[in-house]
Amino acid sequence: MTTLTSHPLASLLESLFAQADAATSPVVAELSEEERTRLMHSKTEYLDFYGRLKDLWLSVSRETGTLLYMLTRSTRARNVIEFGTSFGISTLHIAAALKDNGGGRVITGEFEPSKVARAREHFAASGLGDFIEIRQGNALETLAADLPEAIDLVLLDGAKALYVDILERLESRLTQGALLVADNADFSPDYLARVRSPTSGYLSTPFAGDIELSMRLD
Ligand SMILES: C[S@@+](CC[C@H](N)C(=O)[O-])C[C@H]1O[C@@H](n2cnc3c(N)ncnc32)[C@H](O)[C@@H]1O
């Protein structure tokens, strides 16, 4: 058995995913495809965009959650950084893996105070709070200092246009073999160009439809 598939996390995640599935999204429905694409690519309007989405879960899929657990376990990760907490679904998968690895910490950044409050409730209910540090504020600042010396895995799932900026804050600390999991990276062409460049120091591939999975080579 794993922490992911045992009580209390398994039933908590079932309930959280069910709530996420049931949540309707009038804000997103009101946006034209064109406007949504523009906002997703914008480096200046993300505060307004995510502010409008503050009641939405926007969580990773069940499959991506399981994948995050597996990658965190198989790399024997100890230190994980997450950009974009929302209500904490992805964080819980990573924290479960850290517990099953024998210890570690996921530092996760979120700027919406109401989301941070909800995520904290879910972390408390999971019993995994000791493995999670949530930093409230713009991740461009909160994930720029007081970081672990060695980072084993990064989940990029906040404003897509900031993926390169966040990577630059973490890059010097990535261990050899560290994994970057970037959700919906298609909205971040500069990030894809960076990790796919033959001279970038990464091996990178699209994976599972909406993820870019990259490995630090040196
Ligand atoms: C796609 S959701 C994250 C979903 C979460 N990883 C999960 O699977 O449950 C993206 C989140 O990133 C937050 N966000 C976006 N840009 C941010 C920034 N610059 N700093 C902190 N949080 C940010 C948004 O408020 C939103 O809650």
Side-chain angles (χ1 to χ4, degrees), residues 5-111:
T5 50
S6 309
H7 180 78
L9 186 60
S11 52
L12 175 65
L13 282 173
E14 199 44 56
S15 156
L16 298 183
F17 273 124
Q19 291 175 60
D21 290 345
T24 51
S25 154
V27 183
V28 173
E30 281 163 13
L31 292 174
S32 67
E33 187 61 35
E34 195 184 16
E35 193 182 6
R36 184 165 174 265
T37 303
R38 184 180 62 77
L39 289 169
M40 293 281 279
H41 282 92
S42 172
K43 261 197 174 195
T44 53
E45 293 177 272
Y46 64 88
L47 285 169
D48 173 55
F49 180 55
Y50 282 100
R52 286 157 74 179
L53 304 184
K54 71 178 170 44
D55 297 323
L56 297 183
W57 289 71
L58 308 172
S59 72
V60 294
S61 64
R62 289 171 171 78
E63 293 77 15
T64 299
T66 303
L67 180 70
L68 285 169
Y69 176 86
M70 291 165 64
L71 294 177
T72 308
R73 286 295 309 271
S74 62
T75 53
R76 297 184 169 80
R78 290 279 165 172
N79 290 300
V80 179
I81 307 291
E82 175 179 53
F83 169 42
T85 319
S86 195
F87 295 138
I89 287 186
S90 48
T91 323
L92 288 170
H93 287 81
I94 296 166
L98 292 173
K99 181 179 181 194
D100 294 345
N101 281 351
R105 183 172 49 140
V106 49
I107 298 174
T108 180
E110 172 59 56
F111 58 33

Side-chain angles (χ1 to χ4, degrees), residues 151-152 167 171 173-180 194-205 213-218:
I151 297 170
D152 306 303
L167 176 61
E171 200 159 41
R173 295 167 187 266
L174 295 176
T175 56
Q176 191 175 35
L179 294 180
L180 308 177
R194 170 93 165 233
V195 292
R196 290 178 184 175
S197 157
T199 56
S200 67
Y202 298 97
L203 202 57
S204 194
T205 183
L213 181 62
S214 314
M215 187 180 78
R216 183 77 187 164
L217 293 174
D218 45 34

